[in-house]
Amino acid sequence: AAGGEGSGDGGAADAEAECKAEFKPLVELEEVDSNTGEEEEEILMDWKAKLFRFDSDAGEWKERGLGQCRILQHKANKKTRVLMRRDKTLKICANHVIMPGTQMSNHDGNEKTLVWSTPDFSDEELVNEVFCIKFGNKERADDFKQKFEEAMERNQKLLAEDEAAEGGASETAAEEEEKKQEVSDLADALGYAKVENGGDE
């Protein structure tokens, strides 16, 4: 009987060790299941910020989220995008390829904030947005702007190569460029003036 108890204790210890050994692969499996696409990208910039979007219907800025704003470059295709997730929920509040020719300016002369317009894919649908982002200090805002402008130059070549490969997409591209310019003009205007009430056009 004593021998049986001894082996029973050993069995319990083995079971505990086996349980611990099996736990790690489960964690790894969860990581694979929650693949976000960011695993394929290199982080070029990562600062905490607060993001706003301009609601043209209401004629005012509305908070989009507070969280980590990253500039990411894909390791394979080399394209660079902005990705921002809200703290805690990790819900995406900005997700767009950095488009060549994007105009960026300080909002109302504040060196910690930047305004720009872009087709954005946060809600899994391409929507033209005017964003205003506020960083903790001027240095971080300057870093964002510099990395953004560098990415515009890189992406211009990459996107031009894509367009050449696709061939007959020039008309659509021209239409998109026209729409982008309209939103860019609005962003530029908002960058230099406080929005007090709905903008009459």
Side-chain angles (χ1 to χ4, degrees):
E5 286 174 12
S7 61
D9 292 344
D14 289 344
E16 189 181 342
E18 190 178 334
C19 180
K20 285 178 182 174
E22 288 177 356
F23 184 70
K24 192 175 180 188
L26 284 174
V27 173
E28 288 172 359
L29 180 62
E30 285 173 10
E31 287 176 358
V32 171
D33 286 346
S34 63
N35 189 305
T36 62
E38 295 169 59
E39 294 82 2
E40 305 300 320
E41 295 168 294
E42 179 186 353
I43 299 170
L44 303 182
M45 189 219 76
D46 187 359
W47 295 120
K48 189 162 188 172
K50 185 178 282 190
L51 186 72
F52 301 83
R53 65 175 289 273
F54 187 71
D55 184 336
S56 54
D57 294 331
E60 63 184 14
W61 290 102
K62 293 194 173 176
E63 186 173 331
R64 189 71 176 258
L66 174 70
Q68 291 300 123
C69 177
R70 293 176 171 177
I71 292 181
L72 303 169
Q73 183 175 26
H74 198 278
K75 293 172 185 174
N77 65 33
K78 299 300 179 186
K79 287 177 188 166
T80 308
R81 66 169 172 157
V82 170
L83 180 69
M84 183 167 171
R85 293 179 181 273
R86 293 186 181 98
D87 282 349
K88 297 178 184 175
T89 65
L90 300 182
K91 182 173 168 58
I92 293 173
C93 51
N95 177 24
H96 66 84
V97 172
I98 295 176
M99 297 300 291
T102 303
Q103 299 298 312
M104 183 174 281
S105 59
N106 294 119
H107 177 254
D108 195 34
N110 186 333
E111 293 181 327
K112 295 189 290 186
T113 64
L114 293 162
V115 174
W116 77 102
S117 66
T118 184
D120 182 73
F121 201 68
S122 302
D123 297 319
E124 299 186 3
E125 181 183 355
L126 207 58
V127 178
N128 280 328
E129 296 281 14
V130 179
F131 285 137
C132 178
I133 194 165
K134 182 177 183 181
F135 292 94
N137 55 47
K138 177 184 182 296
E139 288 70 29
R140 292 181 180 184
D142 288 347
D143 186 36
F144 176 78
K145 188 176 183 184
Q146 181 184 340
K147 298 280 196 324
F148 195 105
E149 289 172 348
E150 289 169 357
M152 277 198 292
E153 290 184 24
R154 286 195 305 273
N155 281 351
Q156 185 166 17
K157 295 171 188 170
L158 295 165
L159 294 170
E161 287 168 9
D162 285 353
E163 195 175 317
E166 287 169 10
S170 56
E171 188 177 335
T172 309
E175 288 173 4
E176 284 180 4
E177 182 62 33
E178 189 177 331
K179 282 183 187 174
K180 187 162 75 71
Q181 187 57 48
E182 287 174 14
V183 184
S184 181
D185 290 344
L186 174 61
D188 201 40
L190 294 174
Y192 290 102
K194 264 192 176 144
V195 182
E196 293 174 354
N197 42 39
D200 298 327
E201 292 187 5

